[in-house]
């Protein structure tokens, strides 16, 4: 008979998750992996054939990861074997650390040759694009002030959102996580090693209120603990071309990130009573502050509709392709957790605002 973890064991397990997560995303480890992939990625080719020279490179990679992670965890007092044994049984617990699933997926990927080969091929493509002076699709660099005009660009973004929402397996979407109330999918981006992520989620917030919270730059810091500052730099408001918003966020385990993004809110789209939010990077001449990475949002759109038979809840579709300065394989393995956290934070914000309004 399987016994439940007592409070002390749960606390130990969650502390271990936090420690492992810190090790896997600390700058020294990230730079070590980036150096390794940059050195060896040219050997790999995007074919089904696995050449003999792949094997010693993969073995060197596995040894590099094992030695680094094991040494750092020993320093933190964590028994990696114990952690790996108990991790699968507790990753779905209601009170488990929110990073548990992402940590398990990431640890498992280090021993997966196919994941390793994919990482090397994507790094090879990224270096080729960088050498050619093209970091990927230029769409995120378009400003609403250029010749396209605000309405034309908004229309283009709305059409892209429709295509991404309707796409299925035939269009390259693959289910990567299903928690019942939220399903997360990924899709390869041919111009970037970072995947496009999409989720369908049910939120315990009415659609109008959800969008009011999600798209209001003036109250962002009141409910999102990750965001330290949020200011409007430009734009004529949601009735016209939206807002240019600058956020500075201190995210877990990373130096602060700066986001200068255009926020656009289109009401009654794609259907009456629904909402569409459009978020993408805005060109900005001023450099970011010292020790700050300027994150790039290729797409950060959301569609919010009333849930059928219960208009007090919302059915959300979220899309994300964002570069926060992490190696692509880490960004791709943590994207599903990021979307879950976003929905949970919005629900918590709504409850807090309800309580404040009742006073």
């Amino acid at each position: 008979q399987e016994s439940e973890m007592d409070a002390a064991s749960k606390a130990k397990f969650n502390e271990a998750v936090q420690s492992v997560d810190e090790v896997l995303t600390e700058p020294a480890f990230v730079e070590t992996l980036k150096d390794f992939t940059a050195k060896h990625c040219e050997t790999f080719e995007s074919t089904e054939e696995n050449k003999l020279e792949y094997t010693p490179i993969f073995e060197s990679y596995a040894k590099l990861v094992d030695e680094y992670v094991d040494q750092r965890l020993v320093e933190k007092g964590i028994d990696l074997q114990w952690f790996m044994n108990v991790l699968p049984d507790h990753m779905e617990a209601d009170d488990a650390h929110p990073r548990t699933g992402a940590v398990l997926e990431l640890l498992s990927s280090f021993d997966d040759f196919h994941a390793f080969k994919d990482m090397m091929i994507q790094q090879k493509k990224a270096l080729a694009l960088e050498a050619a002076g093209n970091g990927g699709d230029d769409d995120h660099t378009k400003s609403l002030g250029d010749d396209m005009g605000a309405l034309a660009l908004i229309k283009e973004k709305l059409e892209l959102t429709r295509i991404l929402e309707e796409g299925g397996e035939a269009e390259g979407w693959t289910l990567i996580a299903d928690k019942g109330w939220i399903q997360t999918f990924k899709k390869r981006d041919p111009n970037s090693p970072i995947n496009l992520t999409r989720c369908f989620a049910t939120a315990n917030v009415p659609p109008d209120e959800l969008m009011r919270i999600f798209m209001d730059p003036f109250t962002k810091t009141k409910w999102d603990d990750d965001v330290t500052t949020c200011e409007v730099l430009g734009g004529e408001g949601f009735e016209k071309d939206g807002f240019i918003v600058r956020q500075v966020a201190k995210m877990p385990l990373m130096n602060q990130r700066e986001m200068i993004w255009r926020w656009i809110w289109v009401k009654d789209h794609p259907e009456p009573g629904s909402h569409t939010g459009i978020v993408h990077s805005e060109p900005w001449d001023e450099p970011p502050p010292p020790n700050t990475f300027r994150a790039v949002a290729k797409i950060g759109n959301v569609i919010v509709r009333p849930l059928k038979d219960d208009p007090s809840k919302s059915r959300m579709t979220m899309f994300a392709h964002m570069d926060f300065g992490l190696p692509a394989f880490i960004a791709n393995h943590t994207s599903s957790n990021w979307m879950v956290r976003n929905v949970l934070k919005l629900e918590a914000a709504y409850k807090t605002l309800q309580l404040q309004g009742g006073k």
Side-chain angles (χ1 to χ4, degrees):
Q1 180 179 359
E2 183 179 356
S3 61
E4 294 185 358
M5 298 175 75
D6 57 29
S9 297
K10 288 181 179 179
K12 178 183 178 183
F13 172 74
N14 285 340
E15 288 176 6
V17 172
Q18 180 68 26
S19 296
V20 175
D21 195 25
E22 290 173 358
V23 169
L24 296 179
T25 54
E26 61 188 8
F29 183 55
V30 171
E31 287 302 315
T32 297
L33 296 184
K34 287 174 68 176
D35 290 344
F36 184 93
T37 56
K39 180 179 179 181
H40 298 286
C41 66
E42 289 298 327
T43 304
F44 291 78
E45 297 179 0
S46 185
T47 63
E48 293 185 4
E49 178 189 2
N50 291 321
K51 298 181 179 180
L52 291 176
E53 52 261 45
Y54 295 173
T55 301
I57 297 176
F58 176 62
E59 290 174 348
S60 297
Y61 165 80
K63 181 180 179 182
L64 174 70
V65 171
D66 287 344
E67 290 180 351
Y68 185 95
V69 173
D70 188 58
Q71 178 182 340
R72 291 291 292 119
L73 291 180
V74 168
E75 293 171 2
K76 290 177 173 286
I78 303 297
D79 183 335
L80 182 58
Q81 189 60 53
W82 165 83
F83 179 75
M84 292 301 295
N85 288 340
V86 301
L87 180 56
D89 293 335
H90 304 291
M91 62 179 296
E92 297 298 337
D94 292 337
D95 54 355
H97 192 284
R99 296 283 295 156
T100 304
V103 166
L104 175 59
E105 190 176 4
L106 189 54
L107 283 172
S108 300
S109 74
F110 291 130
D111 293 326
D112 185 336
F113 172 77
H114 296 290
F116 167 75
K117 180 182 177 183
D118 180 67
M119 177 183 70
M120 300 298 279
I121 292 171
Q122 295 302 319
Q123 176 70 350
K124 182 178 180 179
K125 291 180 180 179
L127 292 177
L129 287 168
E130 183 179 330
N134 178 12
D137 188 348
D138 297 353
D139 190 60
H140 65 268
T141 66
K142 293 177 181 176
S143 168
L144 290 179
D146 65 19
D147 293 339
M148 291 187 66
L151 292 178
L153 184 54
I154 291 174
K155 183 177 180 181
E156 177 186 309
K157 297 288 186 181
L158 291 174
E159 176 63 12
L160 173 62
T161 303
R162 181 192 67 78
I163 293 171
L164 294 177
E165 183 178 42
E166 294 179 356
E169 186 175 349
E171 287 73 33
W173 289 103
T174 303
L175 179 68
I176 57 175
D178 187 348
K179 294 181 175 290
W181 63 275
I182 182 170
Q183 299 82 39
T184 309
F185 298 77
K186 70 176 181 179
K187 175 183 170 68
R188 286 273 186 86
D189 183 337
N191 297 314
S192 170
I194 298 175
N195 292 331
L196 180 63
T197 307
R198 177 186 70 184
C199 83
F200 300 109
T202 299
N204 297 310
V205 185
D208 293 352
E209 291 299 311
L210 190 152
M211 285 298 288
R212 184 176 64 82
I213 297 169
F214 189 67
M215 297 299 292
D216 185 356
F218 302 102
T219 60
K220 179 79 171 185
T221 57
K222 295 181 179 179
W223 63 270
D224 192 336
D225 294 337
D226 290 336
V227 178
T228 57
T229 62
C230 185
E231 58 181 325
V232 174
L233 302 180
E236 299 185 62
F238 291 130
E239 298 302 320
K240 294 187 178 180
D241 62 352
F243 291 108
I244 302 172
V245 180
R246 177 183 182 268
Q247 301 175 82
V248 175
K250 182 59 180 78
M251 298 181 178
L253 318 178
M254 294 189 291
N255 292 333
Q256 67 180 10
R257 264 52 179 166
E258 179 189 58
M259 296 152 279
I260 300 181
W261 295 348
R262 174 83 62 166
W263 294 10
I264 300 169
W265 179 357
V266 182
K267 299 180 180 180
D268 292 315
H269 185 91
E271 308 92 18
S274 63
H275 305 266
T276 298
I278 299 171
V279 176
H280 60 86
S281 287
E282 184 73 10
W284 204 252
D285 292 335
E286 297 179 10
N291 301 317
T292 301
F293 179 87
R294 180 168 291 167
V296 175
K298 192 172 185 179
I299 183 172
N301 296 4
V302 61
I303 301 173
V304 178
R305 298 178 173 92
L307 186 67
K308 291 182 179 179
D309 302 323
D310 190 351
S312 69
K313 299 180 180 180
S314 299
R315 188 62 179 169
M316 301 177 65
T317 307
M318 289 192 294
F319 313 92
H321 187 294
M322 300 177 180
D323 181 2
F324 282 95
L326 293 171
F329 81 101
I330 291 182
N332 291 336
H333 278 288
T334 58
S335 57
S336 61
N337 182 263
W338 174 83
M339 289 197 162
V340 170
R341 286 185 66 237
N342 240 9
V343 178
L344 294 178
K345 284 197 293 186
L346 287 166
E347 290 183 338
Y350 177 62
K351 291 178 182 177
T352 299
L353 293 173
Q354 277 187 312
L355 292 174
Q356 293 175 346
K359 291 182 178 180

